[in-house]
Structures are given as C-alpha cells and as structure tokens.
Amino acid sequence: MDLRQVAFHDHPSVFFTALSAVTATIALRPDSTILPMIGALSVLLVYSPILFRPSEHRWVNVFLIGVALSVASSVLRLQASLEALSTPGGSLVALFTFSALLSSLSLTALYVSTKFYTRLGSSWSQVTLFPAIWATLWCTVSYISPVGHLSTWSVANNMDAYNWVTPFLGPVSKDWIVGAWAVVISETVGYWHTGFSEDTVDLLNFPQDQHRRFNNKKATKILTLLLTFLTIPSFIFSNSPLPVSPIDAVTPLSVACALPPYQHYKRHVLTLEDYIRETDTLRSMAKIILWPEGAVTFHSVEERENAFNEVRKRIPGVYVGVSFEETISDPNDSTGRKPITRTGLAVVSQKSNDTYHTYYKRHLVPVAESYRLTHSTAPPTLFEAQLPKPHKYIPSKQWGHGPDYTRPLPLTSSICLDFAAPFPFAALESRPALILAPARTWDRTVGNAMWLQAKQRAEELDSMILWCDGGEGGVSGVAGGGFNDVTQVGSGSFIRTIGIQYPFDSQRTPYARFGDFTLILFWIFALGPGFIPRVPFGNLQFKFARRGIYSGIQTFRGWIGHGQTERAPEQDLLG
C-alpha cells in the first residue's frame, strides 16, 4: 500500500480533510505568507474533483472539510477575538460563524472552478480559470466586508518576490498568483497520480478515451514559466530606503510618534498635557510628530479648538498630527440636540492659526466601535507641508526656492481600520509622499495584522506611512519606501529619519489610477483563447480561423448549459 493508494482510493476523505486542516492552520493566519497559502490551496484543488464528484457521501464530505477549514482559520485568531467583544462566548460564536462563512465561499469557488473546468475548450483557459475566480472572490469580499482585507484569505505579509507587482496590479494580483501556483502544483500532482495507474479516470468517473482532456502539460508549463518570470524584477531592482545625505536628490525628513510611557507619566489614561509634554521632547529632532488614534478626548468644538491653540503655542517649528475623539452636535441636526461621537485627526502648526488637514475615521470596528461612534464618508485629502532646511550649514538656495526657501511635501492621512479597506485613497488625484496613520489596537496579533495592511497600502501607492499605534502591545513604525520592519512595540516614543525623492514625483501608480480593473484582464486572460480567433502575422487582412470560431461558440454553449465544447466529454465531472 502506497501514498497514492491511500490518498486517492482507500481513504481520500480522511486523508485530504486532515491534510487540509493542517495546511490551513499554518496558512490562514493574520500574518499569512505566500508559500503556506499556496500549499493549503493546492491541497484543496487536488481534493476538489474527488470531493465534488457524484457520490452518496458527497455533501457529508463537503460539510466535514468546511468544518475543518473553519476551525483551522480560527485557531490563530482565537486569543485576539476573545477580547473583541464584551463576552468571550459571543466572541467565539462570532469568530467561528465568520470563519464558516469564508470557508463556504472558498469551497464555492472550488466547486465553480471544478464544475466549469471541463467545459472550457482551451487548455490555457482550464489552468487560468481558477486563479481568476480566486482573485475575484476575495476582491469582492474585501469590498463587502466591514473589515475589508482582514476578512479575506489573501496573503497579508507581502515580503516576497512578487511584491514589486503591487503598485501596478494591486492586491488582486497576489490572489491570482497564489491561485495560479496552486493550479500548477495540483496539476503536477495529477500527473504524478496518473503516471502510476491507468485506472485514475475510473476514480473520477471518466471513460478511458476521454482522459486526453486532462493533458494540460503544455499550458501548465507555460503558466509555470510566466510565474517564474514575474519573480525576476525582484532580483534586479533594489527595494532599499533612499539615503538621506544627498540633499540635491533627496529630502531628509525626521518623523516621530508620540507614545508617552506609563513609567514616566504614571497614568493609564493620558491627558492633553501629557501628550504636549511628550511632543515637546521630540520637536528638536523631528519635523512631523504624530499622536496615536484617539489620544485625547474633546466634548465640544470650543474645547477642541482651544486644545489646538495650546499645541500651536507650546510646540513651535513642527507639524503635529493630533488624533482625537470628539463628541459634538450632529451637523445634520438643525436643532443641535443630537450628539455624535467620532474619531479624527488634525494637523496643526505654529505657522498658521488654521488647521492644515482634518480627517475623520470612515471604517469602524464592528460592534466594538460601531455601537458608539459615527463613521465619516469624506475621503482623505492632500495638503502640502513646507519643510525648512534641516541644518544651518545647508545653503538656503540649495535647499529650496524663495522667498521662504522651503520644500513642499504632499501629505495625507487615514486612521487604523481604514487601511484594511480596499482602495482607501481612490479620491486622491496625486501621489502622497507620506501618509499619517494613527491607530489603536487591543492585541498584539491585531496590531501586527493592521501593520501589514498599512504596509500593503503604502506599496500600492508607492508611498510611505507613519504608523503610530497607541494600543496595548501595538506595533509602530515607518512602512513603504524600502522600510519594512517594526520600529516600536508598545508605549515609548520613537524618531525615524527617512529620505524622500526630490523633486518629488507626484504621479500616481497604475493601481492608484485604475484600481481593481486588473480583474477584467485576468478574465480576458482566462477566457480569451476560447473566444478570440487567430490573426496571422504579416497579413493585413484579418482571417478568422474556423477552429477558433468553433471553439468560441462551443465554449459559450457549454457555459449556458446547452452543449459541450469540442474537447469536453459527454459526462460532466460533477454529474
């Protein structure tokens, strides 16, 4: 008895359910990486033809694999979830219910892929169908879910050979790449399986003379070469931070996150005075200082403006990002009696009595925040900070143009969970150099997950993010522009000097311009060979090949259920 006999003939349900549970536990974690994700998805793809074939226990096996995936995806989120709601029991129910929903969606994607796999007349379409379905599924979920990308089975930690693709094709490209590699591995396992035995087609309920339709070796090899080719730029182009010394090509900028430590201030609930004192210790070394999400609380517009004036008076020479929670009268209530509470960020400086930039949080944590806070609908905007020369010995004319000899720096902001939302900076008409990102998470796992989401958004815009997390065990630092590592864990202020391109190129990345339009390209990539007729090179007349037309017509008929393609067999894989 060998592995092939046990896995594919004797006990496929037990074998693949157990293997899927193990691989999914490793892969479906808040800081998921690409290799475990590919491995887990490959196992599911290999099992899918067996799982969904007509049998007496088909739906029992589907239920078992669904439960296994639900439990596996919940394991490493359990500790963080226990503190998300007021009661541990409610948190566990919410976690497992949500995990079960995502597992069901994943199994649905596998079912659809397996169902229509044999109805496509092109081998290339057969191997690229599932990656398109997989990318479409999680793109859709990210837009529908209240927690955005945090609810998807997408890769969270994108420090891999495909990271350079993100500014061009966006996060859906990673889902497509994961799905494509899973197809390559599952097809390879299929060749290994069929290479041992000629009765494999009997296992899958296919006649012997129709085994030829699984001959996708050429298409699989081409897909493998394409995926390998896409890794080459990561070995050629450097992703290191810019140096800060050549001021003719780089603007050196010191940024800081004000996180007053308990050991110094002896207070669990910090006050405005505490944050001003901590900021004052940083202002001689940093030009932009950010406070964590909801650092201070205001109960009226007057109290808020008085606090801003106090910051302007006592913290000269720097830009201060004041994150606050305020309770004010609802602007939409003419009587002024209805209050609203919201979380915001304001950038102030002694240089002006006006607030340079104001932003209010748009995405609230379900239940934990949504029951008491009001979300905003206004997207983030850009503003230009004017940076003076960092050292006296630098000639003014070499640093900037008159009359004030400063350098403009386009900045924007967003707050915590907003970074998990898809395409949060769609309204910006140019690229920001730096994104101010106050946050407050309640668990180290959640903090690290949000840090990874912030890094992803920075890569999409080819920008940098100053992430300042004031939560218990929160992680903080600078992400993007070659910066990848966490600078600070927990309380305690930090300063980081970064280099920004000068003159700054404000042109947006392709993804920032077109968003998730890439999905359409993936579907054309998958279905195009069945519909696009052949056009010979060197001939000005477009001659439609009869085989191309016939394949396209038959593929269309197969999709609507009125016929089968030329290569598809009479017997459907799923019955």
Side-chain angles (χ1 to χ4, degrees):
M1 181 179 295
D2 57 15
L3 179 62
R4 181 189 65 85
Q5 183 69 26
V6 173
F8 291 93
H9 292 274
D10 295 341
H11 307 287
S13 177
V14 175
F15 179 85
F16 281 106
T17 299
L19 185 59
S20 296
V22 172
T23 55
T25 301
I26 299 173
L28 301 178
R29 47 188 298 150
D31 58 346
S32 58
T33 54
I34 192 168
L35 291 180
M37 190 68 71
I38 291 172
L41 194 53
S42 300
V43 172
L44 292 173
L45 272 179
V46 172
Y47 184 36
S48 291
I50 304 174
L51 177 65
F52 296 118
R53 69 182 180 183
S55 67
E56 181 181 357
H57 303 291
R58 173 167 60 172
W59 298 115
V60 174
N61 293 333
V62 171
F63 174 77
L64 291 176
I65 192 70
V67 171
L69 293 175
S70 301
V71 173
S73 61
S74 303
V75 170
L76 295 177
R77 292 174 170 84
L78 184 60
Q79 181 61 39
S81 299
L82 290 175
E83 301 178 11
L85 301 179
S86 58
T87 61
S91 300
L92 290 176
V93 171
L95 173 63
F96 186 79
T97 301
F98 197 63
S99 299
L101 175 60
L102 297 180
S103 299
S104 300
L105 292 174
S106 301
L107 291 175
T108 301
L110 292 165
Y111 174 83
V112 172
S113 175
T114 307
K115 176 72 175 178
F116 291 104
Y117 175 90
T118 58
R119 296 190 178 188
L120 296 174
S122 165
S123 297
W124 178 253
S125 296
Q126 290 179 351
V127 299
T128 54
L129 173 64
F130 177 74
I133 293 175
W134 192 250
T136 302
L137 169 65
W138 297 121
C139 179
T140 304
V141 169
S142 69
Y143 277 94
I144 296 175
S145 171
V147 292
H149 287 287
L150 290 178
S151 60
T152 67
W153 285 11
S154 301
V155 175
N157 191 342
N158 288 279
M159 291 307 299
D160 51 59
Y162 297 104
N163 195 36
W164 70 271
V165 180
T166 303
F168 297 94
L169 302 179
V172 295
S173 62
K174 283 297 187 70
D175 293 323
W176 188 90
I177 289 170
V178 168
W181 271 120
V183 168
V184 169
I185 294 175
S186 63
E187 291 283 338
T188 303
V189 172
Y191 303 148
W192 167 77
H193 180 203
T194 57
F196 277 88
S197 174
E198 292 298 328
D199 62 356
T200 303
V201 289
D202 292 332
L203 173 68
L204 299 178
N205 294 333
F206 282 103
Q208 287 282 349
D209 59 350
Q210 293 173 358
H211 181 244
R212 60 186 177 87
R213 73 178 181 170
F214 289 104
N215 188 20
N216 292 331
K217 288 186 178 181
K218 289 184 178 180
T220 303
K221 289 179 180 178
I222 294 174
L223 183 60
T224 304
L225 289 175
L226 173 63
L227 293 170
T228 304
F229 177 78
L230 288 175
T231 66
I232 295 177
S234 65
F235 299 103
I236 299 176
F237 302 104
S238 172
N239 190 33
S240 301
L242 289 175
V244 297
S245 54
I247 63 169
D248 55 332
V250 175
T251 298
L253 174 65
S254 293
V255 296
C257 174
L259 295 171
Y262 172 80
Q263 291 82 352
H264 179 67
Y265 294 92
K266 304 299 182 182
R267 267 192 287 267
H268 294 287
V269 180
L270 297 165
T271 64
L272 174 66
E273 178 65 23
D274 296 333
Y275 277 100
I276 290 178
R277 288 171 55 193
E278 185 71 14
T279 304
D280 188 50
T281 65
L282 302 171
R283 67 181 178 88
S284 63
M285 299 174 284
K287 293 300 180 184
I288 297 177
I289 303 173
L290 180 63
W291 295 4
E293 178 185 0
V296 290
T297 302
F298 306 129
H299 299 93
S300 66
V301 174
E302 293 75 15
E303 183 182 2
R304 182 190 67 196
E305 293 305 318
N306 290 336
F308 291 169
N309 289 332
E310 188 70 13
V311 173
R312 292 186 185 101
K313 181 176 67 175
R314 296 176 57 181
I315 311 296
V318 300
Y319 291 92
V320 182
V322 179
S323 183
F324 57 90
E325 186 177 294
E326 64 177 9
T327 301
I328 60 173
S329 298
D330 188 350
N332 298 320
D333 181 23
S334 58
T335 65
R337 296 178 180 178
K338 181 181 178 181
I340 61 170
T341 303
R342 56 186 181 177
T343 301
L345 171 71
V347 178
V348 299
S349 171
Q350 192 185 48
K351 301 176 183 178
S352 174
N353 291 327
D354 296 326
T355 301
Y356 290 98
H357 173 79
T358 304
Y359 173 79
Y360 289 97
K361 190 174 184 179
R362 292 185 292 166
H363 298 86
L364 306 177
V365 178
V367 183
E369 289 182 338
S370 59
Y371 83 95
R372 66 181 188 88
L373 297 178
T374 300
H375 71 89
S376 173
T377 57
T381 58
L382 281 171
F383 77 100
E384 279 195 348
Q386 301 297 326
L387 300 180
K389 60 182 181 181
H391 302 290
K392 294 182 178 179
Y393 62 80
I394 298 177
S396 297
K397 293 184 178 180
Q398 186 179 357
W399 177 257
H401 302 287
D404 53 359
Y405 297 102
T406 59
R407 287 186 178 182
L409 188 73
L411 304 178
T412 189
S413 69
S414 207
I415 300 176
C416 202
L417 190 59
D418 291 339
F419 286 93
F423 212 18
F425 300 99
L428 298 182
E429 296 183 354
S430 59
R431 180 167 69 104
L434 181 66
I435 303 171
L436 304 181
R440 187 174 297 275
T441 57
W442 65 89
D443 182 83
R444 180 78 59 85
T445 302
V446 179
N448 191 52
M450 285 307 309
W451 160 257
L452 294 174
Q453 291 298 320
K455 284 175 57 178
Q456 176 85 340
R457 304 293 88 78
E459 296 294 340
E460 292 167 5
L461 300 183
D462 192 20
S463 182
M464 285 187 281
I465 286 179
L466 173 58
W467 182 260
C468 187
D469 189 343
E472 185 69 26
V475 298
S476 303
V478 174
F483 292 95
N484 298 298
D485 298 328
V486 172
T487 303
Q488 180 78 28
V489 178
S491 62
S493 301
F494 69 86
I495 300 172
R496 193 75 184 262
T497 301
I498 60 178
I500 298 175
Q501 174 194 35
Y502 179 78
F504 181 71
D505 182 6
S506 61
Q507 290 189 359
R508 292 179 294 171
T509 62
Y511 174 72
R513 287 176 178 269
F514 305 109
D516 293 311
F517 179 78
T518 311
L519 277 178
I520 298 177
L521 300 180
F522 289 155
W523 280 105
I524 294 175
F525 202 51
L527 302 180
F531 290 94
I532 301 176
R534 300 175 183 176
V535 181
F537 291 101
N539 192 342
L540 296 178
Q541 296 180 349
F542 293 92
K543 298 181 179 180
F544 298 99
R546 288 179 296 175
R547 183 177 178 183
I549 296 175
Y550 182 76
S551 176
I553 293 174
Q554 291 293 84
T555 299
F556 178 74
R557 293 181 62 197
W559 275 87
I560 63 176
H562 294 293
Q564 300 291 336
T565 64
E566 179 184 14
R567 293 187 60 192
E570 297 178 359
Q571 183 176 354
D572 189 4
L573 177 62
L574 300 179

